[in-house]
mmCIF file with all atom_site columns, all heavy atoms in Angstrom:
data_model
loop_
_atom_site.group_PDB
_atom_site.id
_atom_site.type_symbol
_atom_site.label_atom_id
_atom_site.label_alt_id
_atom_site.label_comp_id
_atom_site.label_asym_id
_atom_site.label_entity_id
_atom_site.label_seq_id
_atom_site.pdbx_PDB_ins_code
_atom_site.Cartn_x
_atom_site.Cartn_y
_atom_site.Cartn_z
_atom_site.occupancy
_atom_site.B_iso_or_equiv
_atom_site.pdbx_formal_charge
_atom_site.auth_seq_id
_atom_site.auth_comp_id
_atom_site.auth_asym_id
_atom_site.auth_atom_id
_atom_site.pdbx_PDB_model_num
ATOM 1   N N   . MET A 1 1   ? 18.225  25.992 -11.768 1.00 32.00 ? 2   MET A N   1
ATOM 2   C CA  . MET A 1 1   ? 18.018  24.825 -12.632 1.00 32.00 ? 2   MET A CA  1
ATOM 3   C C   . MET A 1 1   ? 17.639  23.614 -11.792 1.00 32.00 ? 2   MET A C   1
ATOM 4   O O   . MET A 1 1   ? 18.225  23.362 -10.752 1.00 32.00 ? 2   MET A O   1
ATOM 5   C CB  . MET A 1 1   ? 19.288  24.509 -13.420 1.00 32.00 ? 2   MET A CB  1
ATOM 6   C CG  . MET A 1 1   ? 19.164  23.301 -14.334 1.00 32.00 ? 2   MET A CG  1
ATOM 7   S SD  . MET A 1 1   ? 20.692  23.035 -15.273 1.00 32.00 ? 2   MET A SD  1
ATOM 8   C CE  . MET A 1 1   ? 20.247  21.544 -16.167 1.00 32.00 ? 2   MET A CE  1
ATOM 9   N N   . ALA A 1 8   ? 14.452  13.070 -15.518 1.00 96.00 ? 9   ALA A N   1
ATOM 10  C CA  . ALA A 1 8   ? 13.258  13.300 -16.330 1.00 96.00 ? 9   ALA A CA  1
ATOM 11  C C   . ALA A 1 8   ? 13.526  12.966 -17.797 1.00 96.00 ? 9   ALA A C   1
ATOM 12  O O   . ALA A 1 8   ? 12.687  12.357 -18.478 1.00 96.00 ? 9   ALA A O   1
ATOM 13  C CB  . ALA A 1 8   ? 12.797  14.747 -16.190 1.00 96.00 ? 9   ALA A CB  1
ATOM 14  N N   . GLY A 1 31  ? 3.382   9.438  4.174   1.00 87.00 ? 32  GLY A N   1
ATOM 15  C CA  . GLY A 1 31  ? 4.206   10.410 4.863   1.00 87.00 ? 32  GLY A CA  1
ATOM 16  C C   . GLY A 1 31  ? 5.639   10.472 4.389   1.00 87.00 ? 32  GLY A C   1
ATOM 17  O O   . GLY A 1 31  ? 6.434   11.245 4.925   1.00 87.00 ? 32  GLY A O   1
ATOM 18  N N   . PHE A 1 63  ? -7.456  0.669  -0.302  1.00 94.00 ? 64  PHE A N   1
ATOM 19  C CA  . PHE A 1 63  ? -6.627  0.038  -1.330  1.00 94.00 ? 64  PHE A CA  1
ATOM 20  C C   . PHE A 1 63  ? -7.452  -0.722 -2.358  1.00 94.00 ? 64  PHE A C   1
ATOM 21  O O   . PHE A 1 63  ? -6.900  -1.441 -3.195  1.00 94.00 ? 64  PHE A O   1
ATOM 22  C CB  . PHE A 1 63  ? -5.603  -0.902 -0.684  1.00 94.00 ? 64  PHE A CB  1
ATOM 23  C CG  . PHE A 1 63  ? -4.539  -0.169 0.081   1.00 94.00 ? 64  PHE A CG  1
ATOM 24  C CD1 . PHE A 1 63  ? -4.655  0.029  1.450   1.00 94.00 ? 64  PHE A CD1 1
ATOM 25  C CD2 . PHE A 1 63  ? -3.426  0.338  -0.566  1.00 94.00 ? 64  PHE A CD2 1
ATOM 26  C CE1 . PHE A 1 63  ? -3.687  0.719  2.162   1.00 94.00 ? 64  PHE A CE1 1
ATOM 27  C CE2 . PHE A 1 63  ? -2.445  1.035  0.133   1.00 94.00 ? 64  PHE A CE2 1
ATOM 28  C CZ  . PHE A 1 63  ? -2.579  1.225  1.499   1.00 94.00 ? 64  PHE A CZ  1
ATOM 29  N N   . PRO A 1 76  ? -8.597  3.852  -21.080 1.00 97.00 ? 77  PRO A N   1
ATOM 30  C CA  . PRO A 1 76  ? -8.555  4.971  -22.043 1.00 97.00 ? 77  PRO A CA  1
ATOM 31  C C   . PRO A 1 76  ? -7.133  5.304  -22.505 1.00 97.00 ? 77  PRO A C   1
ATOM 32  O O   . PRO A 1 76  ? -6.909  5.514  -23.700 1.00 97.00 ? 77  PRO A O   1
ATOM 33  C CB  . PRO A 1 76  ? -9.166  6.132  -21.263 1.00 97.00 ? 77  PRO A CB  1
ATOM 34  C CG  . PRO A 1 76  ? -10.015 5.493  -20.226 1.00 97.00 ? 77  PRO A CG  1
ATOM 35  C CD  . PRO A 1 76  ? -9.289  4.241  -19.843 1.00 97.00 ? 77  PRO A CD  1
ATOM 36  N N   . ARG A 1 84  ? -10.846 9.870  -17.823 1.00 97.00 ? 85  ARG A N   1
ATOM 37  C CA  . ARG A 1 84  ? -11.803 10.688 -17.073 1.00 97.00 ? 85  ARG A CA  1
ATOM 38  C C   . ARG A 1 84  ? -12.140 9.967  -15.781 1.00 97.00 ? 85  ARG A C   1
ATOM 39  O O   . ARG A 1 84  ? -12.602 8.832  -15.809 1.00 97.00 ? 85  ARG A O   1
ATOM 40  C CB  . ARG A 1 84  ? -13.060 10.947 -17.897 1.00 97.00 ? 85  ARG A CB  1
ATOM 41  C CG  . ARG A 1 84  ? -12.822 11.885 -19.083 1.00 97.00 ? 85  ARG A CG  1
ATOM 42  C CD  . ARG A 1 84  ? -14.057 12.042 -19.962 1.00 97.00 ? 85  ARG A CD  1
ATOM 43  N NE  . ARG A 1 84  ? -13.866 13.095 -20.947 1.00 97.00 ? 85  ARG A NE  1
ATOM 44  C CZ  . ARG A 1 84  ? -13.194 12.952 -22.090 1.00 97.00 ? 85  ARG A CZ  1
ATOM 45  N NH1 . ARG A 1 84  ? -12.643 11.773 -22.377 1.00 97.00 ? 85  ARG A NH1 1
ATOM 46  N NH2 . ARG A 1 84  ? -13.067 13.965 -22.924 1.00 97.00 ? 85  ARG A NH2 1
ATOM 47  N N   . PHE A 1 95  ? -17.739 11.253 -4.397  1.00 95.00 ? 96  PHE A N   1
ATOM 48  C CA  . PHE A 1 95  ? -16.959 11.582 -5.579  1.00 95.00 ? 96  PHE A CA  1
ATOM 49  C C   . PHE A 1 95  ? -17.392 12.931 -6.138  1.00 95.00 ? 96  PHE A C   1
ATOM 50  O O   . PHE A 1 95  ? -18.580 13.250 -6.188  1.00 95.00 ? 96  PHE A O   1
ATOM 51  C CB  . PHE A 1 95  ? -17.117 10.490 -6.640  1.00 95.00 ? 96  PHE A CB  1
ATOM 52  C CG  . PHE A 1 95  ? -16.468 9.195  -6.251  1.00 95.00 ? 96  PHE A CG  1
ATOM 53  C CD1 . PHE A 1 95  ? -17.223 8.141  -5.740  1.00 95.00 ? 96  PHE A CD1 1
ATOM 54  C CD2 . PHE A 1 95  ? -15.093 9.033  -6.378  1.00 95.00 ? 96  PHE A CD2 1
ATOM 55  C CE1 . PHE A 1 95  ? -16.622 6.951  -5.367  1.00 95.00 ? 96  PHE A CE1 1
ATOM 56  C CE2 . PHE A 1 95  ? -14.483 7.842  -6.011  1.00 95.00 ? 96  PHE A CE2 1
ATOM 57  C CZ  . PHE A 1 95  ? -15.249 6.799  -5.505  1.00 95.00 ? 96  PHE A CZ  1
ATOM 58  N N   . PRO A 1 105 ? 3.147   12.234 -23.068 1.00 97.00 ? 106 PRO A N   1
ATOM 59  C CA  . PRO A 1 105 ? 4.266   11.302 -23.222 1.00 97.00 ? 106 PRO A CA  1
ATOM 60  C C   . PRO A 1 105 ? 4.654   10.615 -21.918 1.00 97.00 ? 106 PRO A C   1
ATOM 61  O O   . PRO A 1 105 ? 5.007   9.438  -21.905 1.00 97.00 ? 106 PRO A O   1
ATOM 62  C CB  . PRO A 1 105 ? 5.390   12.204 -23.742 1.00 97.00 ? 106 PRO A CB  1
ATOM 63  C CG  . PRO A 1 105 ? 4.682   13.294 -24.482 1.00 97.00 ? 106 PRO A CG  1
ATOM 64  C CD  . PRO A 1 105 ? 3.440   13.552 -23.676 1.00 97.00 ? 106 PRO A CD  1
ATOM 65  N N   . VAL A 1 112 ? 0.446   5.579  -2.207  1.00 96.00 ? 113 VAL A N   1
ATOM 66  C CA  . VAL A 1 112 ? 0.782   4.297  -1.605  1.00 96.00 ? 113 VAL A CA  1
ATOM 67  C C   . VAL A 1 112 ? 0.131   3.183  -2.426  1.00 96.00 ? 113 VAL A C   1
ATOM 68  O O   . VAL A 1 112 ? -1.075  3.177  -2.630  1.00 96.00 ? 113 VAL A O   1
ATOM 69  C CB  . VAL A 1 112 ? 0.303   4.220  -0.145  1.00 96.00 ? 113 VAL A CB  1
ATOM 70  C CG1 . VAL A 1 112 ? 0.654   2.871  0.459   1.00 96.00 ? 113 VAL A CG1 1
ATOM 71  C CG2 . VAL A 1 112 ? 0.909   5.346  0.675   1.00 96.00 ? 113 VAL A CG2 1
ATOM 72  N N   . SER A 1 136 ? 8.276   7.719  8.254   1.00 76.00 ? 137 SER A N   1
ATOM 73  C CA  . SER A 1 136 ? 7.247   8.234  7.351   1.00 76.00 ? 137 SER A CA  1
ATOM 74  C C   . SER A 1 136 ? 5.964   8.517  8.107   1.00 76.00 ? 137 SER A C   1
ATOM 75  O O   . SER A 1 136 ? 5.347   9.582  7.956   1.00 76.00 ? 137 SER A O   1
ATOM 76  C CB  . SER A 1 136 ? 6.971   7.224  6.232   1.00 76.00 ? 137 SER A CB  1
ATOM 77  O OG  . SER A 1 136 ? 8.106   7.022  5.421   1.00 76.00 ? 137 SER A OG  1
ATOM 78  N N   . THR A 1 156 ? -2.633  2.760  9.164   1.00 87.00 ? 157 THR A N   1
ATOM 79  C CA  . THR A 1 156 ? -1.426  1.989  9.456   1.00 87.00 ? 157 THR A CA  1
ATOM 80  C C   . THR A 1 156 ? -1.685  0.493  9.299   1.00 87.00 ? 157 THR A C   1
ATOM 81  O O   . THR A 1 156 ? -0.888  -0.229 8.690   1.00 87.00 ? 157 THR A O   1
ATOM 82  C CB  . THR A 1 156 ? -0.933  2.293  10.884  1.00 87.00 ? 157 THR A CB  1
ATOM 83  O OG1 . THR A 1 156 ? -0.551  3.668  10.961  1.00 87.00 ? 157 THR A OG1 1
ATOM 84  C CG2 . THR A 1 156 ? 0.244   1.422  11.254  1.00 87.00 ? 157 THR A CG2 1
ATOM 85  N N   . ARG A 1 161 ? -1.019  -4.308 5.919   1.00 94.00 ? 162 ARG A N   1
ATOM 86  C CA  . ARG A 1 161 ? -1.642  -5.470 5.289   1.00 94.00 ? 162 ARG A CA  1
ATOM 87  C C   . ARG A 1 161 ? -1.391  -5.464 3.784   1.00 94.00 ? 162 ARG A C   1
ATOM 88  O O   . ARG A 1 161 ? -1.087  -6.501 3.179   1.00 94.00 ? 162 ARG A O   1
ATOM 89  C CB  . ARG A 1 161 ? -3.138  -5.472 5.594   1.00 94.00 ? 162 ARG A CB  1
ATOM 90  C CG  . ARG A 1 161 ? -3.879  -6.699 5.074   1.00 94.00 ? 162 ARG A CG  1
ATOM 91  C CD  . ARG A 1 161 ? -5.361  -6.609 5.375   1.00 94.00 ? 162 ARG A CD  1
ATOM 92  N NE  . ARG A 1 161 ? -5.602  -6.535 6.817   1.00 94.00 ? 162 ARG A NE  1
ATOM 93  C CZ  . ARG A 1 161 ? -6.269  -5.566 7.417   1.00 94.00 ? 162 ARG A CZ  1
ATOM 94  N NH1 . ARG A 1 161 ? -6.743  -4.554 6.702   1.00 94.00 ? 162 ARG A NH1 1
ATOM 95  N NH2 . ARG A 1 161 ? -6.450  -5.581 8.706   1.00 94.00 ? 162 ARG A NH2 1
ATOM 96  N N   . LEU A 1 179 ? 16.941  14.499 0.796   1.00 87.00 ? 180 LEU A N   1
ATOM 97  C CA  . LEU A 1 179 ? 18.061  15.128 1.480   1.00 87.00 ? 180 LEU A CA  1
ATOM 98  C C   . LEU A 1 179 ? 17.594  16.455 2.096   1.00 87.00 ? 180 LEU A C   1
ATOM 99  O O   . LEU A 1 179 ? 16.487  16.911 1.815   1.00 87.00 ? 180 LEU A O   1
ATOM 100 C CB  . LEU A 1 179 ? 19.195  15.389 0.482   1.00 87.00 ? 180 LEU A CB  1
ATOM 101 C CG  . LEU A 1 179 ? 19.720  14.162 -0.281  1.00 87.00 ? 180 LEU A CG  1
ATOM 102 C CD1 . LEU A 1 179 ? 20.751  14.589 -1.321  1.00 87.00 ? 180 LEU A CD1 1
ATOM 103 C CD2 . LEU A 1 179 ? 20.293  13.137 0.679   1.00 87.00 ? 180 LEU A CD2 1
ATOM 104 N N   . GLN A 1 207 ? 20.299  15.457 -7.420  1.00 33.00 ? 208 GLN A N   1
ATOM 105 C CA  . GLN A 1 207 ? 19.588  16.232 -6.403  1.00 33.00 ? 208 GLN A CA  1
ATOM 106 C C   . GLN A 1 207 ? 18.599  17.138 -7.111  1.00 33.00 ? 208 GLN A C   1
ATOM 107 O O   . GLN A 1 207 ? 18.868  17.653 -8.198  1.00 33.00 ? 208 GLN A O   1
ATOM 108 C CB  . GLN A 1 207 ? 20.546  17.091 -5.581  1.00 33.00 ? 208 GLN A CB  1
ATOM 109 C CG  . GLN A 1 207 ? 21.438  16.282 -4.652  1.00 33.00 ? 208 GLN A CG  1
ATOM 110 C CD  . GLN A 1 207 ? 22.306  17.212 -3.825  1.00 33.00 ? 208 GLN A CD  1
ATOM 111 O OE1 . GLN A 1 207 ? 22.663  18.272 -4.286  1.00 33.00 ? 208 GLN A OE1 1
ATOM 112 N NE2 . GLN A 1 207 ? 22.629  16.786 -2.641  1.00 33.00 ? 208 GLN A NE2 1
ATOM 113 N N   . SER A 1 214 ? 8.154   20.169 2.760   1.00 28.00 ? 215 SER A N   1
ATOM 114 C CA  . SER A 1 214 ? 6.791   19.811 2.424   1.00 28.00 ? 215 SER A CA  1
ATOM 115 C C   . SER A 1 214 ? 6.684   18.316 2.185   1.00 28.00 ? 215 SER A C   1
ATOM 116 O O   . SER A 1 214 ? 7.312   17.788 1.295   1.00 28.00 ? 215 SER A O   1
ATOM 117 C CB  . SER A 1 214 ? 6.335   20.564 1.180   1.00 28.00 ? 215 SER A CB  1
ATOM 118 O OG  . SER A 1 214 ? 5.056   20.174 0.781   1.00 28.00 ? 215 SER A OG  1
#
Side-chain angles (χ1 to χ4, degrees):
M2 179 178 178
F64 290 95
R85 290 175 171 80
F96 291 100
V113 180
S137 297
T157 296
R162 184 182 299 123
L180 303 175
Q208 290 183 329
S215 176

